[in-house]
Amino acid sequence: MNYPAFVTGGELRILDLDAPGGARTLAVLPLAPNAEVTATLPQGRTLAYVYRVMDRNRRFDETRPVLLGTSQDRGLTDLASEEQGTDEAAIRRIPVRGGAVTVFVQNLAPGSRVETLGTVVTADPSGKAVIQRVLPPGAQEIDVRVVRPDGSGQTIRRAVTIPKSEWFYVGVADLAFGRSTNGGEDGGGNSYATGRLSGYAKGTTAAGVTVTLQADSGEDDIDDLFSNILNKDPVSILDRLDPDLSFPTYGDDSTLVIDAPTSGGFYLKVEKDGNFGLWGDFKSVTPGTDLLRNERTLYGAQTVLQTAGVNEDGAPRLRFEGYAAQPDQLPQRDVLRGTGGSVYFLSRQDILLGSETLTVELRDADTQRVISRTALVQGEDYDINYTQGVVTLYSPLSGYGSGGALLSSNPNGDDTLNLIAQYEWRPVLGDIDGYAYGARLTSGIADNLQIGATAQSDDTGTSDQTAYGVDLAWTKSDRTFLKAEVARTDGPGFGYVTSVNGGLTGEETAPPDGSGTAYSVSARAALDEIWPGGAGTVGAYFQSYGAGFSSLDRQVTTPETLWGFSAELPLSAATALTLIYDHYNQDPDVAQDRAQILLEHQITDLLAVELGYGHIDSTDPASTDGTGTRDDLAARLILTPSEMVEWYVFGQGSLNVTGDVENADRAGIGGEVLLDGSWSIQGEVSDGATGPGGRVLFGQDKDEESNVYFGYTLDPDRTVDDVVLTGRDRGQFVAGGRRR
């Protein structure tokens, strides 16, 4: 890292991403910035590491998880001589202010070392070495010591002053004065005076306050230059044109950064140590609440105030966020079922630049309960064409979750994977009047306890809704926690559009016009953190939605209740037991209960077996196959002859089938083969009561900027416009690739 002067310590955290009950921290190793540590890896399914550094106020920065055992060359052909500096930060909470100091040394003897800025580097074969560090403002003395291979050395000291206040600014004034010579019956003329004033400034004061300012009056009469500076620009569609459509080839790998995003002619942001106030474009976020998540991008005023002191999780002891805006655009939410491909079409076009928030959600196919949610990052996970409304993912997205689960009604997976796109778009016709307000206050009253309150109001004609709620979170670790939340909405929200074919066609769900209250409680406990000698994890959840409740995730017209619990218990070093129970009820007569018991046993290092029992009790008068009961027994044998090959055979049979519930008898074979460092093939083929099913994906993931894939899926339960195809459509093919 290049800012050790701002941190007081660091630690390397080793995680198991697939641990029972969720990702688990297995080890925490002290590791000073730019130092080294040696450790024996703990046992785990999918090991990864993150690096965390802390400042004196316990705020921390943390990298993204990196899988252990994978190559980290980042595409560089010669790690010894090429620049290795990359930014892998996933969390940034430490305020860094100062200047970058670079030490460059050349003409050194092979094997010489350079000691400076608190670190030691070895010169490359050409005798050069370079080190860069960010230092705080003020006078600094930099010692550079060169140690030759024979042990002799030389030290050079340089004085450097990093200014406490530094500014950059630019301004442009364009004025035109004139008089027309042919302006009336009397032969006289009309005089005119027009102009345009614009400027940009950014700097930091001696007190550490950073100011960003942009102003652009637009071209107008001089008397009116500043009268409309706060209005939004109707021709901003030019900013959303995809440059790749006009310039097929670039001469460099530059990145466009919009430092003062604004839909009007004025932008101002004043910030210090995470506190700021701004006027311009901003994205309203409400971290900590699930029922009242807000992902809109608005033009107006926003402020964030927070304490420097944080709790053990790095969250401020007290944080306030508020905003007020008068939007002239509409929010849109698209729920796009994964197709196995990478290209998805949004339901709207002319999307506001940078307004999108994309996530991948795993949902229960029957109850639509969100099981997990992963945020995507533009430039790392996807590209977007704002004019045409086209999203291109860097990796294909399957439409099925829990594929390969032992107990499953569908061989491809019972849960669904969806691409959720939240964005703003500007309608061609009509005006949008009204205002949007919001505020959230959170307080970490103790290291492990945080409470929050949220209030939102939207009055834009198409939506007239007020929402408010409170939440509480107690966190002992990432595996032991309790979260509770209650929220109420009054009035309709914005609804959403769903699509099962990547956005080619869609079905709109209108929001309910009423009032409703929702409750949510979830808890998980790692038994080894509760009492000595405990092992495994247990968890439970409860959700209740009243009729009329309207949020990003649910539009409720009839009351719904969901609850369930799970337990993952190791019986021995080679055997684990999993218990799952879920209940869903929708008034007046829709209900479903599902229970599963799973037993996993590792016979040898190469051979494992899984056994399972499941029970379903469902009532749905409106469905042709939704009422009845069924018991299922299943077994799977897994063989892993090497790290490159894994294959399995499985069988599932249904017993005591009553009512209209379909039989789930099925047997098949599947596996995965890594052909070399980048090519792989994985798939499964089976046959059962509902017909043949299968999936295969063949592809190459060469590096972060190049991949290619070809896949085929045959879903025995696939439907199109509610017509059951039972595999007679012969499945679907998908192919794609990306290269930069």
Side-chain angles (χ1 to χ4, degrees):
M1 61 171 297
N2 67 346
Y3 55 101
F6 296 85
V7 304
T8 58
E11 56 191 28
L12 189 73
R13 293 174 164 243
I14 300 178
L15 315 175
D16 184 355
L17 301 182
D18 292 331
R24 176 184 180 185
T25 302
L26 300 180
V28 178
L29 308 173
L31 179 58
N34 303 308
E36 296 181 355
V37 66
T38 301
T40 301
L41 293 181
Q43 295 294 323
R45 299 180 180 181
T46 305
L47 295 182
Y49 71 87
V50 298
Y51 183 47
R52 175 183 293 187
V53 293
M54 295 77 67
D55 69 358
R56 64 178 182 273
N57 291 319
R58 297 198 303 177
R59 294 171 292 195
F60 65 83
D61 293 349
E62 187 175 281
T63 65
R64 299 179 181 86
V66 177
L67 291 176
L68 288 166
T70 59
S71 173
Q72 298 302 314
D73 57 14
R74 302 179 304 281
L76 302 179
T77 58
D78 187 356
L79 292 177
S81 61
E82 295 191 45
E83 172 60 43
Q84 298 186 32
T86 57
D87 186 359
E88 295 295 326
I91 300 175
R92 284 195 177 278
R93 291 173 177 164
I94 299 177
V96 176
R97 170 177 168 256
V101 175
T102 302
V103 176
F104 175 69
V105 185
Q106 59 183 348
N107 300 324
L108 298 180
S112 298
R113 302 193 316 274
V114 179
E115 302 174 357
T116 184
L117 296 173
T119 190
V120 179
V121 298
T122 302
D124 67 10
S126 65
K128 298 179 180 179
V130 61
I131 305 170
Q132 185 182 80
R133 294 291 182 264
V134 178
L135 300 181
Q140 310 281 349
E141 288 191 346
I142 310 298
D143 289 335
V144 181
R145 176 173 174 78
V146 175
V147 181
R148 302 179 183 89
D150 60 5
S152 61
Q154 180 181 2
T155 301
I156 299 176
R157 174 171 294 181
R158 293 288 184 266
V160 176
T161 299
I162 299 176
K164 296 182 178 180
S165 178
E166 189 172 11
W167 287 84
F168 169 83
Y169 48 87
V170 60
V172 177
D174 184 4
L175 304 176
F177 301 90
R179 182 177 180 86
S180 62
T181 59
N182 190 17
E185 295 181 358
D186 58 357
N190 295 324
S191 60
Y192 62 89
T194 63
R196 179 178 183 177
L197 300 177
S198 61
Y200 168 82
K202 184 166 187 175
T204 302
T205 68
V209 179
T210 300
V211 179
T212 305
L213 172 66
Q214 176 191 309
D216 189 347
S217 67
E219 188 171 353
D220 206 341
D221 292 338
I222 289 181
D223 293 339
D224 300 326
L225 280 184
F226 297 102
S227 61
N228 299 321
I229 195 170
L230 297 182
N231 292 348
K232 289 176 278 292
D233 183 5
V235 299
S236 60
I237 185 175
L238 297 176
D239 295 332
R240 298 187 289 280
L241 291 175
D242 187 351
D244 292 334
L245 300 178
S246 304
F247 303 96
T249 304
Y250 289 91
D252 57 18
D253 195 24
S254 59
T255 300
L256 174 65
V257 176
I258 302 177
D259 193 44
T262 178
S263 297
F266 183 75
Y267 178 90
L268 175 64
K269 184 175 183 179
V270 181
E271 58 183 323
K272 180 181 180 181
D273 296 339
N275 301 283
F276 67 85
L278 73 82
W279 178 276
D281 287 349
F282 61 89
K283 184 166 290 187
S284 61
V285 294
T286 49
T289 172
D290 290 326
L291 296 178
L292 295 181
R293 287 188 306 115
N294 190 349
E295 299 169 349
R296 294 200 62 184
T297 297
L298 301 168
Y299 174 71
Q302 182 190 30
T303 183
V304 171
L305 302 174
Q306 59 188 17
T307 59
V310 299
N311 59 21
E312 290 183 350
D313 294 329
R317 290 290 186 184
L318 188 65
R319 182 182 188 273
F320 171 79
E321 176 186 351
Y323 67 87
Q326 186 179 13
D328 68 344
Q329 68 271 353
L330 292 175
Q332 179 64 44
R333 186 172 180 83
D334 294 343
V335 181
L336 308 173
R337 175 76 179 272
T339 62
S342 299
V343 179
Y344 294 84
F345 301 90
L346 304 181
S347 61
R348 304 293 183 181
Q349 297 180 341
D350 187 17
I351 299 169
L352 269 69
L353 185 70
S355 67
E356 82 283 356
T357 299
L358 299 186
T359 55
V360 172
E361 287 185 352
L362 177 65
R363 294 186 179 184
D364 186 294
D366 296 323
T367 67
Q368 294 302 302
R369 179 175 68 92
V370 177
I371 301 173
S372 65
R373 180 182 293 115
T374 303
L376 303 184
V377 179
Q378 184 179 9
E380 297 180 7
D381 302 310
Y382 71 92
D383 285 328
I384 182 172
N385 184 311
Y386 291 100
T387 304
Q388 297 179 341
V390 180
V391 173
T392 303
L393 302 180
Y394 286 2
S395 299
L397 178 65
S398 170
Y400 307 92
S402 304
L406 179 59
L407 286 165
S408 178
S409 299
N410 188 310
N412 296 310
D414 287 338
D415 299 325
T416 61
L417 276 171
N418 301 295
L419 176 65
I420 311 297
Q422 177 78 27
Y423 55 93
E424 305 282 327
W425 67 287
R426 181 173 289 119
V428 177
L429 300 175
D431 294 327
I432 302 172
D433 297 323
Y435 296 88
Y437 305 98
R440 176 162 173 80
L441 178 66
T442 57
S443 174
I445 57 179
D447 274 341
N448 305 111
L449 185 63
Q450 178 173 285
I451 59 174
T454 306
Q456 300 168 1
S457 177
D458 225 318
D459 179 13
T460 56
T462 57
S463 173
D464 187 2
Q465 184 186 72
T466 300
Y468 46 91
V470 295
D471 54 88
L472 178 146
W474 175 82
T475 305
K476 180 177 178 62
S477 71
D478 50 4
R479 298 189 302 142
T480 302
F481 59 83
L482 170 66
K483 298 180 180 179
E485 185 174 359
V486 57
R488 181 174 179 82
T489 64
D490 296 322
F494 291 97
Y496 56 87
V497 172
T498 56
S499 175
V500 297
N501 53 23
L504 297 177
T505 61
E507 180 180 352
E508 186 168 358
T509 299
D513 188 2
S515 301
T517 304
Y519 304 89
S520 176
V521 180
S522 61
R524 178 178 294 167
L527 300 183
D528 59 303
E529 297 178 349
I530 303 301
W531 66 77
T537 60
V538 295
Y541 69 90
F542 173 82
Q543 298 175 3
S544 176
Y545 300 91
F549 182 79
S550 174
S551 69
L552 290 180
D553 296 315
R554 300 191 88 91
Q555 309 294 336
V556 184
T557 56
T558 57
E560 298 177 309
T561 302
L562 305 88
W563 58 267
F565 61 86
S566 62
E568 297 176 343
L569 308 171
L571 303 181
S572 68
T575 307
L577 178 68
T578 301
L579 308 174
I580 303 173
Y581 188 90
D582 295 290
H583 171 80
Y584 173 74
N585 175 259
Q586 183 184 64
D587 288 346
D589 14 63
V590 176
Q592 184 184 87
D593 291 271
R594 293 184 299 181
Q596 292 186 4
I597 302 176
L598 304 174
L599 184 68
E600 303 176 47
H601 180 66
Q602 192 75 35
I603 301 174
T604 68
D605 292 340
L606 306 180
L607 188 63
V609 64
E610 298 177 354
L611 303 174
Y613 164 77
H615 174 76
I616 296 178
D617 187 350
S618 178
T619 302
D620 188 355
S623 175
T624 58
D625 59 355
T627 300
T629 63
R630 188 183 73 212
D631 295 315
D632 296 322
L633 292 176
R636 175 162 50 196
L637 190 67
I638 306 170
L639 180 64
T640 311
S642 71
E643 295 182 354
M644 306 290 288
V645 179
E646 178 182 282
W647 64 274
Y648 58 87
V649 294
F650 71 94
Q652 178 174 312
S654 296
L655 308 172
N656 304 323
V657 181
T658 66
D660 301 324
V661 175
E662 290 184 335
N663 192 303
D665 293 344
R666 185 163 294 276
I669 185 172
E672 180 177 4
V673 178
L674 302 179
L675 303 179
D676 59 19
S678 58
W679 288 94
S680 66
I681 181 171
Q682 55 181 304
E684 178 185 293
V685 60
S686 64
D687 197 4
T690 57
R695 63 184 185 277
V696 63
L697 182 64
F698 176 67
Q700 181 192 38
D701 196 358
K702 187 175 182 180
D703 52 46
E704 296 180 353
E705 299 180 351
S706 176
N707 66 354
V708 62
Y709 60 89
F710 175 82
Y712 170 77
T713 302
L714 179 61
D715 183 355
D717 299 327
R718 186 179 177 212
T719 62
V720 175
D721 294 332
D722 295 327
V723 177
V724 180
L725 302 175
T726 61
R728 290 175 295 175
D729 62 336
R730 300 183 181 179
Q732 64 177 6
F733 292 91
V734 61
R738 182 178 65 90
R739 183 176 182 181
R740 185 179 178 185

